[in-house]
């Protein structure tokens, strides 16, 4: 019975990525019942965690019986595929992960790692959150953000352009404008 | 004795005048100073992760025939960046039919400071990085230096600045602050900006430009 029900219900994957960093606080937060329940309540069916160099191992779950299916791995060369198949991405604050997700047009929650010594990474996440391209959270506020988020209010991010820099460099060196 | 004093005073004077001249000339366009038809040998200092991605976005729109040959330098601990640069150059070579060995070279350099390394041991590693950087810079002597942090580029840019003073080579140094810097400059950026080492200094957020008026706001590269 459970199988046919699962088959009918669309798969909605939450993909968590910490890149090449160690971000146990995020993985631990994802592993809490409050966060998993909140994700389930918002209609997500699967949780896939890329845990990087972290040492905290989340508990796996096969899903079914109105619970979230949980799986994890450390590294993968096909992060892009995981991002593409996700309905929601929860990421560390690295600019690579952020812009790769935004370019794919996926809803994104960026979780700032407060344990980093030089925490400039929150600057970018907060600026992009202010411009409504993503949500910005801390590990302890994650469940609240998931509960309150309204994905329809997020604005698409239009990729930037290196042409202005190239023009200035060319002009400085005396190369003619095209 | 007085002759020695006079000689050393004159030497110091000459060095100071040259120093002042280099500071004044830095940031002034090279237009008319070099032949526009000739390509400029270019050193590209790759950061890591997001830094490298931003740099490759910039390289994608630069005219490859103008910025040639290209020398890529990345930290010895960072294999990914050179790999990405190699595949970028390979795809260019496939389009144009040139050989990669003729258009570009790839090198690694010791880092002055690893993430999390203490500031005391950084003194020693910085000296090592400087010596290695000097060796590489003597070999490359680039006309153009493109960098966007983090620390790897600082010793190379300082060496390039010293080359300007000594008269070995006049390099134009371009620094693009990372998109991750919204409110404050990175340490590398701050050094190159404050010491007038970068000829042109680009920032990707308007609020940073307001804080650092000599910088150019260019919008987001990513």
């Amino acid at each position: 019975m459970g199988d046919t029900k699962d088959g009918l219900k669309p798969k909605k994957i939450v993909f968590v990525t910490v890149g090449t960093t160690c971000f146990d606080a995020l993985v631990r937060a994802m592993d809490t019942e409050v966060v998993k329940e909140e994700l389930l309540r918002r209609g997500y069916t699967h949780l896939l965690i890329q845990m990087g160099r972290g040492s905290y191992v989340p508990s796996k779950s096969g899903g079914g019986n109105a619970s979230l299916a949980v799986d994890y791995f450390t590294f993968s060369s096909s992060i892009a595929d995981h991002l593409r198949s996700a309905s929601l991405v929860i990421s560390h604050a690295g600019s690579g992960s952020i812009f790769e997700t935004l370019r794919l047009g996926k809803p994104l929650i960026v979780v700032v790692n407060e344990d980093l010594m030089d925490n400039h990474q929150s600057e970018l996440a907060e600026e992009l959150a202010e411009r409504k391209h993503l949500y910005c959270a801390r590990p302890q506020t994650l469940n609240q953000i998931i509960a309150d988020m309204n994905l329809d209010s997020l604005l698409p991010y239009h990729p930037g352009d290196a042409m202005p820099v190239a023009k200035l460099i060319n002009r400085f060196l005396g190369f003619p404008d095209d | 004795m007085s002759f020695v004093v006079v000689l050393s005073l004159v030497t110091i004077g000459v060095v100071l005048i040259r120093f002042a001249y280099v500071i004044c000339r830095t940031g002034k366009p090279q237009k008319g100073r070099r032949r526009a038809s000739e390509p400029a040998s270019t050193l590209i200092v790759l950061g890591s992760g997001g830094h490298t991605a931003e740099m490759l976005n910039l390289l994608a729109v630069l005219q490859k025939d103008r910025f040639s040959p290209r020398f890529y330098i990345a930290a010895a601990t960072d294999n990914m960046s050179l790999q990405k640069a190699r595949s970028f150059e390979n795809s260019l070579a496939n389009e144009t039919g040139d050989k990669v060995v003729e258009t570009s070279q790839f090198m690694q350099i010791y880092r002055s400071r690893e993430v999390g390394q203490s500031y005391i041991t950084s003194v020693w590693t910085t000296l090592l990085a400087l010596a290695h950087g000097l060796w590489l810079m003597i070999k490359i002597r680039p006309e153009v230096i493109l960098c966007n942090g983090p620390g790897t580029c600082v010793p190379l840019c300082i060496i390039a600045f010293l080359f300007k003073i000594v008269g070995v080579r006049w390099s134009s140094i371009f620094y693009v602050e990372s998109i991750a810097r919204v409110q404050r400059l990175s340490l590398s950026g701050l050094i190159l900006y404050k010491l007038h080492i970068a000829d042109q200094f680009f920032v990707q957020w308007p609020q940073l430009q307001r804080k650092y008026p000599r910088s150019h706001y260019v919008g987001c590269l990513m």
Side-chain angles (χ1 to χ4, degrees):
Chain A
M1 279 295 277
D3 283 335
T4 49
K5 222 178 157 190
D6 273 1
L8 289 171
K9 207 171 161 192
K11 206 173 170 184
K12 281 186 79 180
I13 303 170
V14 179
F15 180 54
V16 180
T17 177
V18 309
T20 54
T21 69
C22 164
F23 194 179
D24 278 342
L26 171 56
V27 181
R28 199 172 278 131
M30 293 310 306
D31 202 27
T32 58
E33 283 311 310
V34 271
V35 167
K36 282 195 262 193
E37 265 164 35
E38 205 54 63
L39 286 176
L40 207 58
R41 203 182 61 76
R42 300 292 312 239
Y44 297 100
T45 58
H46 291 69
L47 172 60
L48 181 59
I49 302 172
Q50 183 262 320
M51 54 179 277
R53 294 194 288 116
S55 52
Y56 180 84
V57 179
S59 44
K60 275 194 189 187
S61 158
N65 280 336
S67 76
L68 205 62
V70 184
D71 201 359
Y72 63 84
F73 59 89
T74 52
F75 294 102
S76 162
S77 54
S78 56
I79 291 289
D81 296 335
H82 291 301
L83 290 174
R84 248 186 292 273
S85 58
S87 303
L88 171 68
V89 177
I90 299 177
S91 164
H92 75 124
S95 69
S97 301
I98 290 178
F99 288 105
E100 197 173 356
T101 308
L102 291 181
R103 258 200 305 277
L104 291 168
K106 297 291 178 178
L108 171 63
I109 302 175
V110 170
V111 183
V112 175
N113 189 350
E114 291 170 313
D115 298 332
L116 289 180
M117 200 168 67
D118 169 26
N119 202 352
H120 69 270
Q121 289 195 321
S122 64
E123 284 183 16
L124 177 63
E126 277 157 12
E127 179 69 27
L128 291 170
E130 208 156 284
R131 293 169 182 237
K132 293 217 167 292
H133 296 307
L134 50 80
Y135 284 100
C136 183
R138 316 275 151 172
Q140 62 275 17
T141 63
L142 189 53
N143 68 317
Q144 203 52 52
I145 296 280
I146 295 169
D148 298 342
M149 67 184 180
N150 172 18
L151 298 185
D152 294 329
S153 73
L154 289 180
L155 302 173
Y157 179 81
H158 298 291
D161 176 13
M163 273 316 283
V165 182
K167 271 210 181 97
L168 287 169
I169 292 176
N170 270 297
R171 212 166 286 167
F172 186 91
L173 294 172
F175 288 123
D177 285 336
D178 299 300
Chain B
M1 197 61 192
S2 64
F3 175 73
V4 176
V5 172
V6 169
L7 190 71
S8 44
L9 280 179
V10 167
T11 313
I12 292 169
V14 167
V15 170
L16 281 180
I17 289 167
R18 177 69 188 168
F19 188 80
Y21 170 77
V22 170
I23 289 277
C24 286
R25 281 276 311 134
T26 296
K28 303 276 189 316
Q30 287 293 93
K31 201 173 175 172
R33 294 221 149 218
R34 56 183 304 283
R35 247 179 280 164
S37 55
E38 272 175 25
S41 64
T42 303
L43 168 63
I44 298 143
V45 191
L46 297 172
S48 59
H51 293 275
T52 299
E54 287 178 43
M55 182 58 82
L56 291 178
N57 271 8
L58 169 58
L59 291 177
V61 299
L62 281 180
Q63 296 88 334
K64 261 53 79 178
D65 53 332
R66 290 178 178 180
F67 299 87
S68 170
R70 291 175 290 282
F71 301 88
Y72 293 87
I73 289 188
T77 46
D78 173 18
N79 290 317
M80 285 298 288
S81 293
L82 282 188
Q83 216 171 303
K84 281 181 191 156
R86 268 207 188 91
S87 60
F88 171 77
E89 286 291 340
N90 283 336
S91 64
L92 284 180
N94 282 342
E95 280 171 31
T96 57
D98 291 335
K99 288 204 175 73
V100 175
V101 281
E102 286 159 13
T103 57
S104 51
Q105 279 187 45
F106 307 87
M107 304 161 181
Q108 291 189 308
I109 186 171
Y110 294 116
R111 264 183 78 159
S112 45
R113 190 171 164 269
E114 292 299 332
V115 175
Q117 189 186 331
S118 82
Y119 284 99
I120 300 165
T121 56
S122 299
V123 175
W124 163 242
T125 47
T126 301
L127 286 176
L128 191 71
L130 268 175
H132 190 211
L134 185 63
W135 168 241
L136 292 176
M137 284 293 284
I138 288 171
K139 282 205 293 187
I140 302 172
R141 279 175 288 118
E143 270 183 83
V144 171
I145 299 178
L146 304 177
C147 51
N148 63 346
T152 324
C153 64
V154 175
L156 295 171
C157 289
I158 290 173
I159 292 164
F161 187 77
L162 294 177
F163 279 9
K164 283 185 186 181
I165 290 173
V166 181
V168 174
R169 166 66 94 191
W170 193 281
S171 314
S172 299
I173 302 174
F174 301 96
Y175 184 88
V176 190
E177 186 58 286
S178 154
I179 195 167
R181 300 295 177 158
V182 183
Q183 305 292 347
R184 292 173 302 135
L185 292 183
S186 64
L187 182 59
S188 310
L190 203 62
I191 290 170
L192 298 181
Y193 180 88
K194 289 280 184 197
L195 298 181
H196 289 72
I197 288 176
D199 284 276
Q200 282 200 317
F201 195 98
F202 305 110
V203 294
Q204 304 189 44
W205 298 99
Q207 53 267 56
L208 257 191
Q209 201 281 327
R210 285 195 287 275
K211 278 184 204 162
Y212 300 94
R214 280 188 287 118
S215 66
H216 299 261
Y217 167 62
V218 288
C220 292
L221 255 70
M222 296 294 285

